[in-house]
Amino acid sequence: MSQAIQDNVHLPATRRLLITGGAGFIGANFVHHWHRAYPGERLVILDALTYAGNLQNLESLLEEDNIRFVQGDICDRPSLDSLLREEAIDTLVHFAAESHVDRSIFGPAAFVQTNVLGTFTLLEAFRDHWNEQQQPDHYRFHHVSTDEVYGSLGPNDPAFSETTPYAPNSPYSASKAGSDHLVRAYHHTYGLPTLITNCSNNYGPYQFPEKLIPLMCINILLGRPLPVYGDGQNVRDWLYVGDHCSALEAVLTRGIPGEVYNIGGNNEFKNLDLVQALCDLMDELAPQLPVRPSGNLITFVKDRPGHDRRYAIDATKIKAQLGWTPAETWQTGLRRTVEWYLAHPFWWQPLLSKKLTLPHTPAEFSDLFQTSRC
């Protein structure tokens, strides 16, 4: 038994979770994961249902007696206070965030508002709630963050560890870095039992189609160009969302308050190689494609400003202390993801607008995908 597991002997038999951003991509997958693992626990899902939040992601769960959905804003302090108190929340898992780098370049204000001010408001509300309950040692505030706060790596640089200095290069990553620092400060200043996880690029079911993998899958099905930034040599570590959820469970149940844990998939890919792998899978799994081979659709577009060259995660700490490793390889994870999008056109088709233009900017992404508040 690891020291981290030994130290956490006071966790309750059942928890009452508030999950912010729980109708979004990672949040919804986490809700499904947690409900399967702990079917008797109370889950309260708070989501503003902005463009990337979709109640269809939770459709099969919303009739469960122990699951409640609340549409609301994490900056609304009075509502947060009421929700924490009336639901007797002891565990807050914070996914809610503006997360798309391209959008942050053209509209950074929303990222500062949600990611910095929203996280601050949650921290203040949870701190007061924790104090009102006489500071129980089993309470947890789990902040879900990103590897982008660490900046960019060279080809031969060591992967990001929990001690890598922060060097954010986009308004998005800067706003997440600010929220990370606030969470850390609340632990060190007030003793709030916080946890921070920094993950690599997620992929899998329910991902809004402005992100690389679902965008490519859908464009292939529609016979549309596959836009690849710059020379396509930017490198990312890819983490299947189900593995991310199991890692979050490990941190919530066995992690040490005040600690940071990096979560990675051990799958570094150049963007161009990833797109080609998706093309190969689509050619195999979808025989009626309008363009074959679908690799002929690859189109290089102007690189975005400040595009980080490489991200890579060193997940040694979470493996050594909590015993977590990813279950999916890149082959199994990509196949599962492509199969999901092929089997769920009813999920992504309503997100498509009538204007099918090649997206180069966030404004054009907004034209391509309409907000879904199903």
Side-chain angles (χ1 to χ4, degrees), residues 262-312:
N262 281 356
I263 304 171
N266 301 327
N267 294 311
E268 284 190 57
F269 273 102
K270 295 177 181 176
N271 285 349
L272 183 57
D273 292 342
L274 176 65
V275 173
Q276 186 59 62
L278 286 169
C279 290
D280 294 342
L281 271 173
M282 292 290 286
D283 288 345
E284 173 192 346
L285 298 174
Q288 303 303 317
L289 294 176
V291 175
R292 297 179 63 88
S294 55
N296 291 340
L297 295 169
I298 294 173
T299 304
F300 292 95
V301 299
K302 183 180 178 181
D303 209 352
R304 72 182 180 211
H307 197 180
D308 289 338
R309 195 62 171 174
R310 174 176 169 248
Y311 303 146

Side-chain angles (χ1 to χ4, degrees), residues 294-339:
S294 55
N296 291 340
L297 295 169
I298 294 173
T299 304
F300 292 95
V301 299
K302 183 180 178 181
D303 209 352
R304 72 182 180 211
H307 197 180
D308 289 338
R309 195 62 171 174
R310 174 176 169 248
Y311 303 146
I313 282 283
D314 178 352
T316 300
K317 178 178 177 178
I318 191 173
K319 178 180 179 180
Q321 293 191 8
L322 306 184
W324 177 86
T325 56
E328 300 290 343
T329 66
W330 71 266
Q331 295 97 330
T332 61
L334 277 184
R335 181 172 290 271
R336 290 184 66 175
T337 300
V338 169
E339 289 174 342

Side-chain angles (χ1 to χ4, degrees), residues 249-268:
E249 178 190 356
V251 173
L252 268 172
T253 57
R254 305 195 294 276
I256 300 173
E259 288 294 314
V260 177
Y261 299 92
N262 281 356
I263 304 171
N266 301 327
N267 294 311
E268 284 190 57

Side-chain angles (χ1 to χ4, degrees), residues 55-210:
L55 281 184
Q56 284 190 341
N57 300 349
L58 302 167
E59 191 171 30
S60 63
L61 299 177
L62 294 179
E63 299 302 318
E64 298 283 342
D65 290 339
N66 62 330
I67 295 179
R68 174 187 175 189
F69 176 80
V70 178
Q71 184 172 353
D73 190 334
I74 60 172
C75 293
D76 183 352
R77 177 62 190 274
S79 295
L80 289 175
D81 290 339
S82 297
L83 199 56
L84 290 168
R85 188 177 303 113
E86 71 185 54
E87 289 287 352
I89 297 299
D90 56 44
T91 304
L92 193 155
V93 190
H94 178 30
F95 293 97
E98 295 284 348
S99 65
H100 192 48
V101 174
D102 288 10
R103 290 180 184 270
S104 81
I105 293 170
F106 288 85
F111 288 73
V112 175
Q113 176 73 18
T114 299
N115 299 353
V116 180
L117 184 59
T119 301
F120 165 73
T121 306
L122 283 170
L123 284 164
E124 281 287 275
F126 192 76
R127 179 168 71 97
D128 283 352
H129 175 61
W130 178 62
N131 285 330
E132 288 171 2
Q133 303 303 314
Q134 307 304 312
Q135 301 185 354
D137 62 2
H138 69 274
Y139 275 39
R140 295 290 183 270
F141 184 107
H142 187 155
H143 177 59
V144 180
S145 192
T146 173
D147 60 356
E148 297 192 38
V149 299
Y150 298 122
S152 184
L153 293 170
N156 300 313
D157 289 340
F160 300 133
S161 74
E162 290 80 359
T163 59
T164 299
Y166 277 33
N169 290 320
S170 71
Y172 161 62
S173 57
S175 68
K176 290 297 287 185
S179 64
D180 288 9
H181 291 321
L182 281 171
V183 175
R184 181 181 187 276
Y186 269 64
H187 174 74
H188 286 275
T189 302
Y190 304 113
L192 194 69
T194 65
L195 297 157
I196 299 174
T197 50
N198 297 89
C199 69
S200 54
N201 282 35
N202 276 225
Y203 68 100
Y206 303 117
Q207 189 169 27
F208 190 75
E210 68 186 357

